Amino acid sequence: NAGVTQTPKFQVLKTGQSMTLQCAQDMNHNSMYWYRQDPGMGLRLIYYSASEGTTDKGEVPNGYNVSRLNKREFSLRLESAAPSQTSVYFCASSDGVPNQPQHFGDGTRLSIL
Amino acid sequence: GENVEQHPSTLSVQEGDSAVIKCTYSDSASNYFPWYKQELGKRPQLIIDIRSNVGEKKDQRIAVTLNKTAKHFSLHITETQPEDSAVYFCAASTGWGGSQGNLIFGKGTKLSVKP
């Protein structure tokens, strides 16, 4: 049981390049989330998908797009990467019913030069 | 919207001592409060959570207390060990669907346990 799997684990991009971060979960969860983690800032929600077929903006959505491909997969796309998007990106999933915890992937460490 | 404040930002204790981390929240409708532990370079992992229908929950050396009137909750770690060294995050949620079901995280507490 892998839980939440993120690819790639590390990536270096040049300013202006595009990239898609992949996330898949095998827990049959309804809800999925993308966070970014910066030093001293905690975890900030970029986008979420409450259920298959829906996506919504979180706290810091600018510069990102998402796709809920199916129940298992939720991808995050940077169309034109900027140095301010250098961060660690975490995907998470939850059952989607009230008061249930979120389970995180191992993260993607993204550097934009 | 919900705002979660976490204190202290860093905490250093001697092995065997207790550690307490406190969080306050702003939305009185919040009713789910998980705590996550994140070791260096690793994913955040749930260590304990509490729902608003209880005031305290324990799991071995870890306990969480909730004061809904004052809108604060705390993590207590007793008999600390070096492997407890990590960053701890609190979070709050109203538990309902849509955006209100999302977790709002505190900014984290870096706990260092000195042997």
Side-chain angles (χ1 to χ4, degrees):
Chain A
N1 188 342
V4 179
T5 302
Q6 292 183 235
T7 56
K9 295 188 184 304
F10 303 93
Q11 185 70 47
V12 179
L13 294 177
K14 294 181 180 178
T15 298
Q17 288 185 316
S18 62
M19 170 154 196
T20 299
L21 308 186
Q22 306 286 354
C23 175
Q25 52 91 10
D26 61 4
M27 295 176 281
N28 200 36
H29 283 166
N30 290 306
S31 299
M32 298 185 73
Y33 312 83
W34 276 105
Y35 293 91
R36 62 177 289 172
Q37 185 175 40
D38 303 294
M41 296 297 292
L43 291 153
R44 294 185 292 170
L45 184 64
I46 305 171
Y47 270 93
Y48 68 98
S49 171
S51 61
E52 187 178 358
T54 69
T55 61
D56 284 287
K57 296 178 180 179
E59 179 185 356
V60 288
N62 291 345
Y64 305 95
N65 284 300
V66 291
S67 296
R68 184 73 182 266
L69 305 171
N70 48 56
K71 190 172 185 178
R72 291 187 62 250
E73 299 173 287
F74 188 39
S75 63
L76 178 72
R77 183 163 178 82
L78 287 70
E79 290 291 353
S80 179
S84 61
Q85 294 178 304
T86 294
S87 188
V88 181
Y89 292 85
F90 285 99
C91 177
S93 70
S94 72
D95 205 2
V97 299
N99 300 338
Q100 293 301 313
Q102 294 182 15
H103 301 267
F104 286 81
D106 286 334
T108 295
R109 285 151 184 79
L110 183 61
S111 293
I112 300 162
L113 306 177
Chain B
E2 176 68 283
N3 183 50
V4 176
E5 299 282 343
Q6 183 171 348
H7 299 280
S9 56
T10 60
L11 179 60
S12 182
V13 300
Q14 288 295 133
E15 183 177 359
D17 288 349
S18 295
V20 181
I21 302 170
K22 299 181 179 181
C23 289
T24 60
Y25 60 98
S26 60
D27 189 343
S28 58
S30 289
N31 57 10
Y32 176 60
F33 308 93
W35 286 88
Y36 286 83
K37 175 184 180 181
Q38 186 179 27
E39 296 176 354
L40 189 63
K42 301 287 184 66
R43 69 176 76 182
Q45 291 193 296
L46 180 76
I47 55 171
I48 194 166
D49 56 8
I50 190 168
R51 294 163 179 80
S52 60
N53 57 341
V54 297
E56 184 176 5
K57 183 177 178 180
K58 289 183 179 179
D59 184 1
Q60 299 183 334
R61 297 186 296 108
I62 293 173
V64 57
T65 58
L66 172 64
N67 183 327
K68 289 213 73 179
T69 302
K71 291 191 285 187
H72 68 70
F73 56 111
S74 300
L75 178 71
H76 304 253
I77 305 174
T78 59
E79 300 174 13
T80 54
Q81 301 168 5
E83 51 265 38
D84 293 329
S85 295
V87 178
Y88 292 81
F89 292 96
C90 63
S93 167
T94 61
W96 296 103
S99 63
Q100 292 176 316
N102 294 338
L103 291 175
I104 305 300
F105 285 86
K107 292 186 177 181
T109 297
K110 183 177 181 180
L111 174 64
S112 299
V113 180
K114 298 181 178 179

